[in-house]
Amino acid sequence: MRIVIAGGHGQIALRLERLLAARGYEVAGLVRRAEHADDLRAAGAEPVHCDLESASVEEVAGHLRGADAAVFAAGAGPGSGAARKDTVDRGAAVLFADAAVQAGVRRHLVVSSMGANPDHEGDEVFDVYQRAKGEADAYVRGLDALDWTILRPGQLTDDAGTGLVRLEVSTGRGPIPRDDVAAVLAELLETPATAGLVLETISGSTPVSVAVKSVAGN
């Protein structure tokens, strides 16, 4: 399988690339900055230079063509202002989904945010972020050409992963290591029966593979 990841240099994406490469997948990561290419190669992924804030749908579709699945893990990141929350967290997610449809890549995973809601109120940057993620999620959910799964992690930490999570439609708030989020994403990619689900995940007591099988109804 070939997997293409948007936001390929992100902290979750790099972890996911290592996991997928170790499982024998062909992995490509879209990166905005050429100097990030070596980090992707070290993770076992092919770097693809593509700025999702300026690329066309056709250009991104070209990078996706032939892939078996696409993962949107891009984000404007901490310290970015409200404008980039809109252009990346909403705009790039919409563009990437449209490109996946054009390229015929049905399996589509989105790394979202717990509390994402297009009707979220407030004017602070975090409020704009939650609206942007909510609007992007709603857009993806409306695309019948995609077999999408949306994952909304709790508070992200850099603690070592435990491999134990809580994965449900609603978990309540809590922390989760980025290692474990990447592990959940890798398992979701291998579990097509999770298509059509919006899931929250935090640290818990269930092994990742068991948690994913449970939500998939297996």
Side-chain angles (χ1 to χ4, degrees), residues 69-96:
V71 181
F72 184 81
S80 58
R84 294 201 70 229
K85 302 302 184 193
D86 183 66
T87 58
V88 178
D89 294 292
R90 183 200 59 78
V94 167
L95 174 79
F96 193 63

Side-chain angles (χ1 to χ4, degrees), residues 81-82 120-129 131:
H120 183 92
E121 296 182 353
D123 299 317
E124 300 297 320
V125 172
F126 184 71
D127 299 321
V128 175
Y129 170 74
R131 276 197 299 277

Side-chain angles (χ1 to χ4, degrees), residues 12-57:
I12 291 172
L14 285 169
R15 289 166 167 84
L16 178 59
E17 286 155 7
R18 292 187 196 99
L19 287 176
L20 294 175
R23 295 185 184 193
Y25 289 102
E26 180 184 342
V27 188
L30 305 186
V31 291
R32 185 168 57 93
R33 296 167 64 179
E35 58 265 33
H36 290 158
D38 285 345
D39 291 337
L40 268 74
R41 293 189 188 99
E46 169 199 348
V48 177
H49 184 256
C50 178
D51 185 347
L52 291 172
E53 289 180 273
S54 60
S56 66
V57 172

Side-chain angles (χ1 to χ4, degrees), residues 142-159:
L143 295 174
D144 292 337
L146 297 182
D147 295 328
W148 52 263
T149 304
I150 294 170
L151 184 65
R152 293 176 170 173
Q155 179 190 351
L156 298 171
T157 76
D158 288 324
D159 297 338

Side-chain angles (χ1 to χ4, degrees), residues 1-213:
M1 283 179 67
R2 176 175 171 82
I3 314 295
V4 178
I5 302 173
H9 194 258
Q11 295 185 67
I12 291 172
L14 285 169
R15 289 166 167 84
L16 178 59
E17 286 155 7
R18 292 187 196 99
L19 287 176
L20 294 175
R23 295 185 184 193
Y25 289 102
E26 180 184 342
V27 188
L30 305 186
V31 291
R32 185 168 57 93
R33 296 167 64 179
E35 58 265 33
H36 290 158
D38 285 345
D39 291 337
L40 268 74
R41 293 189 188 99
E46 169 199 348
V48 177
H49 184 256
C50 178
D51 185 347
L52 291 172
E53 289 180 273
S54 60
S56 66
V57 172
E58 290 74 19
E59 179 185 343
V60 179
H63 297 314
L64 281 165
R65 205 155 279 120
D68 297 285
V71 181
F72 184 81
S80 58
R84 294 201 70 229
K85 302 302 184 193
D86 183 66
T87 58
V88 178
D89 294 292
R90 183 200 59 78
V94 167
L95 174 79
F96 193 63
D98 284 342
V101 171
Q102 189 172 118
V105 182
R106 289 200 63 93
R107 190 69 176 114
H108 196 86
L109 267 60
V110 176
V111 183
S112 185
S113 170
M114 192 172 288
N117 184 345
D119 299 319
H120 183 92
E121 296 182 353
D123 299 317
E124 300 297 320
V125 172
F126 184 71
D127 299 321
V128 175
Y129 170 74
Q130 292 290 62
R131 276 197 299 277
K133 295 297 281 186
E135 288 167 3
D137 290 355
Y139 186 83
V140 170
R141 293 172 71 179
L143 295 174
D144 292 337
L146 297 182
D147 295 328
W148 52 263
T149 304
I150 294 170
L151 184 65
R152 293 176 170 173
Q155 179 190 351
L156 298 171
T157 76
D158 288 324
D159 297 338
T162 66
L164 300 172
V165 299
R166 184 176 173 190
L167 180 69
E168 298 169 16
V169 171
S170 179
T171 61
R173 296 192 176 274
I176 184 169
R178 289 178 172 87
D179 286 349
D180 289 334
V181 175
V184 170
L185 289 166
E187 204 68 30
L188 288 172
L189 279 168
E190 296 184 342
T191 313
T194 57
L197 298 178
V198 180
L199 300 166
E200 295 182 352
T201 188
I202 57 175
S203 290
S205 57
T206 305
V208 168
S209 61
V210 175
V212 172
K213 285 184 176 67

